[in-house]
Amino acid sequence: MFAREESQYGLAYSEAFDEFKAALNEGRIRAAEPDPSSPTGWKVNAWVKKGILLGFRIGRIVEMPLKFKIVRTIGTGPPAVTESEHQTQFRDKHTYPLKKIPPERNVRVVPGGSSIRDGCYIGKGVVCMPPMYVNVGSYVDDGALIDSHALVGSCAQIGKRVHLSAGAQIGGVLEPVGALPVIIEDEVLVGGNCGVYEGTIVGAGAVLAAGTILTGSTPVYDLVRDAVYRRESAIRASSEEGRGAREKAGEDARAPRALMIPPGAVVVPGSRAVTSGRGKELGLSLYTPVIIKYRDEKTDQAVRLEELLR
């Protein structure tokens, strides 16, 4: 269906897409999933991304009015419920309305300007503080906390009990369909105003200090292990064995391999001096994320507030 361009999309397309989107909402399919045989530990499901893109193609732009249900409690009497519909300027493809979350999932969406798009998975006990946004294709696992002004971009994978602090931006990617999305593994703490982009993988239990930016073009210096982590270029990944493993995992073997932050790493914003040319003459430095330690008991105590917030 994805490969065919149609002038009109009939009932068969709508029924197939509805079934596909239901599987996304329930977490039965996802844009990327763990794969121990992959060099990154994850594999891309390019067919899922194609299905999401097909939803945009067949969708019609429609008005999306908001319905409010106001519950008022006065004294010990029964609550008074008032329901009303308000005209708004919200318009989007009819295939991607606001997500409906079943009450039995025990998800908290605190009132105040948040939006969760249909076609994403929200696990049990997730907390959403306003305003925040979760885009289509995302997978947010059980017990995660998405704080105010945080973004979970399209197809991003957020692990169990992750805390995305206020202002954190988790980049999304739909195209190219073989590109790995941003992956934040279990128990990661993403500090305020952090940005994680371009298919970066943050290993389980890592801590990103406030203001840390991770992209595919920024090397990360590990002062503990005396190592430098970079997104591996397509040239370096050009061996037959390397290409074969990546293609098996659904990745585009021509694309750069993801920047990977080791599990338990504590990453802070840093800088490195420009060592040549005019930049050196001017005494300039470039932004550089730095791993200063790995999680220990002291780090765990500093992030233990998470349990109280949940």
Side-chain angles (χ1 to χ4, degrees), residues 10 31 33 64 76 82 94 122 132 137 152 191 200 243 259 281 285 287 294:
E33 60 186 290
M64 291 191 173
T76 58
T82 303
H94 82 281
I122 304 294
M132 45 68 66
V152 180
T200 297
R243 285 203 305 269
L259 169 66
E281 294 175 9
S285 296
Y287 166 76
Y294 282 77

Side-chain angles (χ1 to χ4, degrees), residues 23-303:
L24 276 176
N25 283 324
E26 296 165 13
R28 291 186 280 115
I29 61 173
R30 51 198 291 190
E33 60 186 290
D35 180 8
S37 66
S38 166
T40 62
W42 289 80
K43 72 173 183 179
V44 180
N45 293 322
W47 67 272
V48 173
K49 288 189 174 184
K50 289 180 179 179
I52 294 170
L53 290 168
L54 182 63
F56 285 105
R57 189 186 301 171
I58 69 177
R60 306 182 311 275
I61 298 178
V62 297
E63 296 277 354
M64 291 191 173
L66 296 181
K67 292 184 179 180
F68 294 94
K69 184 179 289 185
I70 301 173
V71 180
R72 294 173 295 154
T73 302
I74 302 174
T76 58
V81 179
T82 303
E83 190 168 345
S84 60
E85 184 173 306
H86 298 263
Q87 288 301 122
T88 64
Q89 291 297 306
F90 298 124
R91 299 180 179 89
D92 200 1
K93 295 296 183 84
H94 82 281
T95 43
Y96 291 115
L98 289 177
K99 181 179 178 66
K100 295 181 179 179
I101 303 173
E104 59 269 20
R105 300 204 67 79
N106 200 33
V107 172
R108 291 172 55 199
V109 182
V110 180
S114 295
S115 183
I116 301 175
R117 207 174 196 177
D118 207 18
C120 69
Y121 174 76
I122 304 294
K124 294 181 179 179
V126 171
V127 179
C128 303
M129 301 300 293
M132 45 68 66
Y133 184 72
V134 179
N135 209 345
V136 63
S138 300
Y139 188 100
V140 181
D141 216 332
D142 298 348
L145 190 155
I146 308 173
D147 217 332
S148 301
H149 298 281
L151 164 71
V152 180
S154 54
C155 299
Q157 306 292 298
I158 309 297
K160 289 180 171 62
R161 296 175 295 280
V162 166
H163 184 171
L164 302 180
S165 299
Q169 305 291 291
I170 308 301
V173 59
L174 273 172
E175 294 182 287
V177 293
L180 196 69
V182 173
I183 294 166
I184 311 294
E185 294 185 345
D186 296 349
E187 308 276 359
V188 170
L189 173 61
V190 180
N193 294 311
C194 286
V196 187
Y197 308 106
E198 298 175 351
T200 297
I201 299 175
V202 181
V207 175
L208 306 184
T212 299
I213 307 294
L214 300 175
T215 72
S217 59
T218 307
V220 178
Y221 286 75
D222 189 336
L223 304 184
V224 180
R225 299 176 179 175
D226 195 21
V228 181
Y229 307 116
R230 292 183 171 89
R231 181 170 65 172
E232 186 175 299
S233 68
I235 296 175
R236 290 180 60 193
S238 61
S239 70
E240 290 293 333
E241 182 179 359
R243 285 203 305 269
R246 295 184 66 188
E247 287 171 351
K248 185 177 179 182
E251 294 181 53
D252 183 350
R254 299 165 297 176
R257 186 184 293 177
L259 169 66
M260 300 176 67
I261 303 300
V266 178
V267 190
V268 302
S271 63
R272 56 192 172 96
V274 176
T275 58
S276 61
R278 184 61 174 160
K280 180 180 179 180
E281 294 175 9
L282 295 173
L284 300 180
S285 296
L286 298 175
Y287 166 76
T288 303
V290 178
I291 297 174
I292 56 169
K293 62 184 286 188
Y294 282 77
R295 282 186 74 150
D296 53 21
E297 185 177 349
K298 185 177 180 181
T299 309
D300 291 339
Q301 288 177 349
V303 300

